[in-house]
Amino acid sequence: MDVTVANVAMLRCAAHYLQITDDFSDKSLELRAEAFLRDAVLPSIASSVAVLRSCEALLPAAEDVGLVPRLIAAVATNVCKEQLTSGLSKLDQCAQLKPAAAFADLDPPADWWGKSVAALGLDFFQRLLSAVKAKGLKQETVTRILINYAQNSLHGLMARDVHRCGGADADAVKKQRAVVEAIVGLLPAQSRKSPVPMAFLSGLLKTSMAVSASSICRADLEKRIGMQMDQAILEDILIAAGAAVGAPAGQQHALYDTDVVARIFSVFLNLDDDHNEEDDGFDYDSPRSPKQSLLVKAAKLLDSYLAEVALD
């Protein structure tokens, strides 16, 4: 039979289980599968991801033969090679263009493979993304992949009316909690200039509250939102109170969780203390400083928030 991307993981595991090694034949099933992996799978990102997905149904055999770590390492190496090649290609294009048009029509970074990993289980996804981050994948690309994975994995739970999901299945909520906590753990380092969009952070925070994620997870998101408060709009900080999935109906006395917003604004107001190195020259008391303009913007946002929650 032919060895293909669709069956190579299964054949490699079968050869190991049945001990079909070169002790029996010069062209044993084990050797044929290994040759195919070496020549047709490991050099290709798409093929490696496809075989990695097939390994999820072959555990623990796929781990026993070392398939999973080899595939993850191959993807990480090839993705970062592609990132480097893409960067050099853009430099070549820029050198041939007029200065004004240097970056006008260049394609975005190549993260096409990020969509194909959205179907991976959480364990494989975490291991793969940790590997590509360790290899130096750009934070912007990591963020896009995380957003895509979250949208595929959390289904409708990141919707704005997440607090209405009280009848969700307990096992589903447990899985969604694990996904939220994993995604937060994989986000780029906290920073005022983080590439993670505010709308995504806000959605994650609302979802983390809905599925009763850990206090560490929620505190991380609150801090991230506080550090990027200048990017927020009213909808981002209108966070439902008593949003835990499965909470008894009729016990919610307030619509909005004002304590969360108070903590978020506290993070923002203390940025000058926590990030002096990053914010040199930012001073609340100077009327012309960048920090002062951010404070005014945040104050207007808080005014809008208070006008909304005052009706509650």
Side-chain angles (χ1 to χ4, degrees):
M1 63 185 298
D2 292 332
V3 181
T4 67
V5 169
N7 68 18
V8 65
M10 190 181 299
L11 292 176
R12 180 63 184 86
C13 292
H16 174 75
Y17 179 73
L18 297 172
Q19 300 178 7
I20 308 176
T21 64
D22 53 0
D23 294 336
F24 298 94
S25 168
D26 291 338
K27 294 183 179 180
S28 68
L29 184 60
E30 181 182 78
L31 285 179
R32 289 180 59 201
E34 280 294 334
F36 187 83
L37 285 166
R38 182 187 65 245
D39 299 334
V41 174
L42 297 179
S44 164
I45 298 173
S47 296
S48 295
V49 171
V51 176
L52 184 62
R53 287 176 61 183
S54 69
C55 286
E56 291 183 314
L58 299 169
L59 296 175
E63 292 279 13
D64 293 342
V65 298
L67 257 183
V68 176
R70 287 165 64 196
L71 290 164
I72 288 174
V75 172
T77 299
N78 290 325
V79 159
C80 292
K81 281 182 181 177
E82 187 176 269
Q83 176 178 268
L84 178 60
T85 304
S86 174
L88 293 173
S89 173
K90 287 178 184 178
L91 287 176
D92 288 341
Q93 292 180 49
C94 292
Q96 298 170 15
L97 294 172
K98 295 179 180 178
F103 292 94
D105 299 312
L106 300 184
D107 294 330
D111 61 344
W112 57 269
W113 62 274
K115 296 179 181 178
S116 65
V117 303
L120 285 174
L122 183 58
D123 177 54
F124 280 12
F125 177 77
Q126 280 184 280
R127 290 167 64 180
L128 178 58
L129 209 64
S130 295
V132 295
K133 285 179 68 177
K135 284 283 188 178
L137 189 66
K138 292 179 181 177
Q139 289 192 344
E140 293 82 357
T141 307
V142 170
T143 299
R144 285 197 294 271
I145 294 164
L146 283 171
I147 291 174
N148 191 58
Y149 190 80
Q151 290 171 340
N152 279 275
S153 302
L154 297 174
H155 303 296
L157 206 60
M158 287 186 69
R160 293 168 188 154
D161 58 346
V162 68
H163 58 285
R164 298 177 185 174
C165 300
D169 177 75
D171 288 338
V173 171
K174 186 177 180 180
K175 290 179 181 178
Q176 289 161 336
R177 182 187 306 132
V179 170
V180 170
E181 292 177 353
I183 288 174
V184 172
L186 290 167
L187 287 173
Q190 294 178 346
S191 168
R192 286 196 313 106
K193 299 177 181 179
S194 169
V196 187
M198 173 60 70
F200 181 65
L201 290 175
S202 173
L204 269 183
L205 177 59
K206 294 172 185 177
T207 307
S208 71
M209 295 172 66
V211 298
S212 301
S214 70
S215 57
I216 294 175
C217 172
R218 297 197 302 271
D220 182 287
L221 289 166
E222 289 175 11
K223 187 170 183 180
R224 289 176 183 277
I225 292 173
M227 294 175 73
Q228 297 174 228
M229 183 55 67
D230 56 304
Q231 301 172 27
I233 59 174
L234 178 59
E235 192 174 73
D236 294 328
I237 58 173
L238 285 176
I239 299 170
V245 172
Q251 294 187 8
Q252 298 179 8
H253 302 291
L255 288 176
Y256 301 111
D257 191 327
T258 54
D259 291 338
V260 172
V261 177
R263 290 195 296 270
I264 289 172
F265 271 88
S266 178
V267 169
F268 172 76
L269 291 173
N270 288 301
L271 279 180
D272 58 330
D273 297 327
D274 297 337
H275 297 272
N276 285 328
E277 306 86 358
E278 186 178 352
D279 296 330
D280 285 343
F282 279 43
D283 182 8
Y284 278 130
D285 298 326
S286 173
R288 296 183 181 278
S289 73
K291 198 80 174 192
Q292 181 71 12
S293 64
L294 293 181
L295 183 62
V296 171
K297 187 174 182 180
K300 290 180 179 178
L301 177 61
L302 185 56
D303 278 344
S304 299
Y305 178 77
L306 291 174
E308 182 71 28
V309 300
L311 303 175
D312 180 8

